[in-house]
Amino acid sequence: MWPGVVSPVQGQDTNNPDKHSPKIGLALSGGGAKGFAHIGVLKVLEEAGIQPDIVTGTSMGSVVGGLYAIGYTPAMLEEIALSNNWEEFFSNRAPRQYQSIYQKTNHSQNLLTFPFKDGSVRLPRGLIKGQKIAMMLYRLTEPYHGVTNFRNLPIPFAAIATDLATGEAVRMDRGYLPDAIRASIAIPSIFEPVEIDSVSYIDGGVVRNIPASDARELGADIVISSDVSSSLAPVDSLKSFVNILSQAVGFTMQASNKQQLALTDIHIQPAIGSYSAFDFEQAAQLIQKGEQAARKMLPQLKALADSLDKPKNKLPPVPQQSDTLLIKELQINGSNSYIRDRLKNSLHLEPPTRQSLSELEYKLTRIYNSGSFTDLISYRLQQLPDQDGYLLNLDISTQNQQTVGLGARYDSHYKASLLFSGTFNKIFTPGDVLLADLRLGEQIQLQSNYFLPLSFYPKTDLALMGSITRLPIDIFNNNQRISKIDVEQLSFSHHLRVEIMPELFFGIGPHFEVFNLNEAIGETLFLSNIDGLITAQMLVYGDSFDHAYFPSKGQKLFIKSDLSDRRWGSSRSFFQLTADWETRLPVSDRFSFLSRLTAGRTISYSSTLPLHYRYFGGGAVPISIYQERQFPLLGYEVQELSGQHIQSLELGAQLRVKNTFLQFKWNAASFSDQSKWKIQPSNFKSGFGISGGTKTIIGPVELILMAPDFDGPYALRINVGHSF
């Protein structure tokens, strides 16, 4: 007889057990990605005829256990494990399909980012906010948003978290299910603590990783534990701060596990010692390991099922999510009235209205990634009493959190460069943001961009931009560098920018600048007096690339026009129109074709075009300053070719092997000062290049071998770090 199991009373109808019928509790431990093994264990439990009456979970065990408790089958859980990009959950950066077009223009440039408060730099409470995994949990648990007592779920459930103030384990069997799960998985230093009712919680595995006692407290007579805890590692194997953090937590965990296993009747421990808590890409193998470990215990599991002598519980109903939800009421909590009104207007949701859950999640994710929200946007759907509709509750936060960052990069032409950046919000009004960057190196730039949001969805901003720039431009004659000119520029512009669609925005506004040119090689020569321009600018920018670096699919479009006229005080009269279009056409998951088409036309009205408004070509990587007029051209030195007009074509292919990318590109371009703009094949300069690259924690790393033709000369170029 199993401990805690009472023999049926003589004459008792075992087909109608009373309230004293023995209950089986399933305790699922924490372990990060190793928790996927629980799914394999669940498969075998169902095969053995065991249906848990109670489920408790810690950390990843709370994710698997919480979803299982509301009706997700092992097959459905396996699909969730295999179909999600779990590495994305460990990044504050939104997946590119959710990023606004403005975020794509200001992609990640920093190696390190720190909070800045009260005039000093501070360490963050956690590296990850957790918005991405929160949105997934809100969606998956939607049918049970209204259940506040987890004992009333199809299978009673509790998640284990740690109270950050007291260090005590907390059994969370009430509240809002996705928030309880988030609290249980808030890995210290990785995720920010989760605040619920003014109490901060972190990962339950810190104190109690195997929640066997909690299953007992919820009424379990027999406890089955699925344990994916890590054992203590040899000191010489601790090679990173993550390993050391795990080891530090492991001392307390080992003592707790010993106590919890004493309360366990069947202990299933998958053989996953070679896997780490972050091996999310090994989900299929981990599920298999869990299944193998449980299958070894199959005789005991079947014996347990037979010994209980009670009918099987009916399986919980599979969660059903409607195609559309009838939202009859909307309530927004938190922040201030300005942000609440902007959020409401941006949602384009006027109750009563029907809204699909995927569309709602898409809108909220896009709004969150507008940059106006420093903490999570959470939502909760509650069915209205005696009605067939829902109340949509939104909770938002816009704390005045400032950040500073440090970036670094190296390329063969401009050598090492440093970037100091800052992001400051709520400068004048709620929702505004100021971005400030200082670039040091051969290219020097102090730049600030102030954005005042007029609408979050579709995103509309008033953008004020100012910069002080010094950029060297090489002057070539007959393929030989003969001089270097430093362009010194002070500029200011303000644009109205409207997001036409998620991947495209339109901007228009005036641009003011003063500039000076100085010869930087040999004896300093003052080439011209300080000059000024006033231009009317129009900009169209679109980006649907799947990645910022080494994209495999999508398109990028850039169209810009500048009109300068002496009649409104500008020193020159000219019109310039530039169009640049890149495409990536995937043939398979690993192979893509690449193309790029660039055209630029300048019309000067009896005046000389400023040097930095000419088009330049050459080099292996784009130049971020004046990038709308400086283009890479394989086989040539940076800025080796120039002219008032440009016609350029690039073709190539890309092969991805895991996280490594191989590219072959061929390009041809014509730079001309001729007034007649037509395609003349004899004017085109061609070249090609073979490159290999990868993404690293310091940004992309790329090696390029290029030449104007197969006879050479060949040149090797390197690019390391985020572009800025």
Side-chain angles (χ1 to χ4, degrees), residues 88-288:
E88 284 285 348
F89 295 135
F90 289 85
S91 167
N92 284 324
R93 194 73 179 169
R96 260 195 148 232
Q97 67 267 29
Y98 285 123
Q99 290 180 21
S100 71
I101 187 62
Y102 306 108
Q103 286 181 298
K104 292 177 181 178
T105 61
N106 296 286
H107 56 79
S108 178
Q109 299 175 321
N110 294 322
L111 288 174
L112 300 170
T113 302
F114 301 97
F116 183 79
K117 189 174 182 180
D118 299 329
S120 62
V121 176
R122 304 187 178 189
L123 293 175
R125 300 186 73 199
L127 299 177
I128 311 301
K129 293 284 187 183
Q131 178 73 21
K132 297 176 190 176
I133 198 164
M135 296 303 286
M136 182 189 75
L137 292 172
Y138 296 149
R139 169 171 34 87
L140 294 176
T141 62
E142 178 270 322
Y144 292 90
H145 280 194
V147 178
T148 57
N149 186 342
F150 304 162
R151 299 186 187 214
N152 295 331
L153 294 173
I155 300 176
F157 169 74
I160 314 307
T162 301
D163 187 325
L164 187 58
T166 65
E168 296 179 352
V170 178
R171 182 174 61 254
M172 309 188 80
D173 57 4
R174 295 176 182 272
Y176 185 34
L177 181 59
D179 282 353
I181 295 174
R182 283 202 308 113
S184 182
I185 63 174
I187 304 170
S189 302
I190 303 297
F191 286 104
E192 287 192 356
V194 174
E195 188 170 305
I196 301 175
D197 296 330
S198 301
V199 178
S200 294
Y201 296 97
I202 59 174
D203 194 305
V206 172
V207 179
R208 188 154 64 239
N209 200 48
I210 304 175
S213 60
D214 302 282
R216 297 275 184 192
E217 288 292 330
L218 264 63
D221 301 295
I222 301 169
V223 175
I224 301 171
S225 293
S226 178
D227 177 15
V228 294
S229 303
S230 298
S231 58
L232 295 175
V235 174
D236 57 3
S237 69
L238 304 177
K239 304 298 184 182
S240 71
F241 79 92
V242 175
N243 299 141
I244 295 173
L245 176 63
S246 177
Q247 183 87 335
V249 174
F251 296 124
T252 304
M253 185 183 296
Q254 292 295 319
S256 171
N257 286 355
K258 185 176 181 180
Q259 296 174 353
Q260 296 299 311
L261 290 177
L263 301 172
T264 296
D265 297 294
I266 295 181
H267 180 217
I268 301 174
Q269 189 172 27
I272 51 177
S274 61
Y275 295 88
S276 81
F278 296 95
D279 280 339
F280 292 97
E281 73 281 0
Q282 304 294 326
Q285 293 89 327
L286 287 163
I287 293 171
Q288 186 178 26

Side-chain angles (χ1 to χ4, degrees), residues 292-365:
Q292 291 171 351
R295 200 165 295 283
K296 290 180 181 179
M297 307 290 290
L298 196 55
Q300 290 177 260
L301 295 172
K302 286 186 174 181
L304 172 61
D306 294 339
S307 72
L308 295 179
D309 195 23
K310 69 172 185 175
K312 294 181 180 179
N313 298 329
K314 293 182 67 175
L315 291 173
V318 174
Q320 298 294 326
Q321 294 179 334
S322 304
D323 292 335
T324 59
L325 302 167
L326 178 58
I327 298 175
K328 288 191 172 181
E329 296 181 23
L330 172 64
Q331 182 174 324
I332 302 177
N333 309 302
S335 192
N336 53 64
S337 59
Y338 174 87
I339 293 295
R340 290 195 297 269
D341 289 343
R342 287 288 181 269
L343 176 57
K344 183 178 180 180
N345 294 335
S346 300
L347 278 172
H348 297 289
L349 195 156
E350 290 294 336
T353 183
R354 287 199 170 273
Q355 184 89 73
S356 71
L357 196 61
S358 59
E359 185 178 359
L360 175 63
E361 181 178 344
Y362 181 80
K363 286 182 179 180
L364 291 174
T365 304

